[in-house]
Amino acid sequence: MINFQEFTLENGLRVIVHEDPTVQIAVMNILYDVGSRDEHPDKTGFAHLFEHLMFGGSVNIPSYDEPLQRVGGENNAFTNTDITNYYLTLPAANLETGFWLESDRMLSLSFDPKVLEVQRKVVIEEFKQRYLNQPYGDVWLRLRPLAYQQHSYQWATIGKEISHIENATMEDVKNFFFSHYVPNNAILVVAGHVTLQQVKELSEKWFGPIPAGKLKTRNLLPEPPQNAKRTLEVEAKVPANAFYKAWHMPGRFHKDYYAIDLLSDILSRGQSSRLYQQLVKEKEIFTSISSFVMGTVDPGLLVISGRLKEGISLEHAEQEVDTILQQVVSNGVAEAELEKVKNQAESTLEFGEMEVMNRAMNLAFSKLSGDANLVNEEGNQINAVTVADVKRVANDILKEANANVMYYKATA
């Protein structure tokens, strides 16, 4: 159970406080409700570019890292399809330094052309190294647009193509910043050796004067139901043939999310799971295989991916996967199977809550649903899933007409 209290500043900044006097640190997690899904199709990769730009200096602070390190703090950030998240840890006695730093870069970046050029090069290099020049690195650059025809999940967080970052102008950067990096589009969680009164005072002092922004209405194109199987074949110099199959599923805050997540665990979590036991260990068709859910806010994907043993055809591998899935669709799963993955999921939850930073992040993301207390309901929702629920969602989702398949063929 994560105890917390919350309040909202006049400018719309939502603040959550989690007091834990047993630790000597304080953490700040600030979640901006903007991800790659909020980008224009011709200007992708901006959310990720901003993650980098936010460390390049703000109005009054030329270097973000230096003053934080001076007081014993450290920080990092990440971007995905739905959010951009910044977090820092520092000694509790130096908490105000964190407020000073985070509020100043929310107030405004420096918009230094030199910083833009430096970070542009960093992001372009990351695009090349991680996505274009690495084996299987372009999988999601290809699989996303196969699965999504309308919704902006059709491009990866890094962007559609390098040219979008190469051509980003300072005007583009400013427009993106002032549309999304505003207090009424953010959730601040302060946790650790702090008090509610202390956080209220610091929030009013440092964030209170920042004016609310004009938020754009989020008008994302919904992905229409898929009515026919889609396939794609790719050839590249990779170590082995690889198989990917993805089905559309509801989003992270949907009532069926946990049943689908547990279904994916039954299929591939651990060496006793169905896919691993039958297709890696017994039949030796795959050298590795996994299934997972994307966990996106809007409707996402349930994905099965694996690398094939030499000499096995991709067509045969898909047939073997489909046979196992059809068994689940037709016969459901055993109570013991479900209980096992429930216990594993609960252990993962409890282990994650040991770290103050994880608690802060989970509170912020839960608040995105409209209810921060979702963080305390996950265990109950996992436990509430029945074998009938798993069979029902398997029937709903694992249809060939809902499938997107990519054969990634290894060439000499």
Side-chain angles (χ1 to χ4, degrees), residues 210-283:
I210 302 174
K214 245 187 195 179
L215 295 181
K216 291 181 179 178
T217 304
R218 183 178 270 141
N219 290 318
L220 303 180
L221 291 173
E223 187 64 26
Q226 185 175 324
N227 297 314
K229 181 180 179 180
R230 299 175 192 146
T231 59
L232 175 68
E233 288 192 10
V234 176
E235 292 188 354
K237 288 185 178 180
V238 292
N241 288 343
F243 167 77
Y244 301 86
K245 193 163 188 174
W247 296 262
H248 292 278
M249 62 167 281
R252 179 64 180 79
F253 302 126
H254 190 276
K255 62 182 178 60
D256 284 336
Y257 173 81
Y258 295 97
I260 302 165
D261 193 25
L262 290 171
L263 169 61
S264 78
D265 286 350
I266 287 169
L267 290 173
S268 78
R269 184 166 183 169
Q271 295 190 5
S272 62
S273 61
R274 293 196 179 201
L275 291 174
Y276 185 90
Q277 186 72 22
Q278 295 182 47
L279 303 186
V280 176
K281 197 171 178 183
E282 293 175 10
K283 296 186 176 180

Side-chain angles (χ1 to χ4, degrees), residues 65-74 88-98 100-101:
D65 288 330
E66 193 178 317
L68 182 64
Q69 290 169 356
R70 232 183 253 156
V71 297
E74 53 185 36
L88 63 86
T89 306
L90 73 180
N94 297 327
L95 176 60
E96 190 161 9
T97 299
W100 168 57
L101 288 167

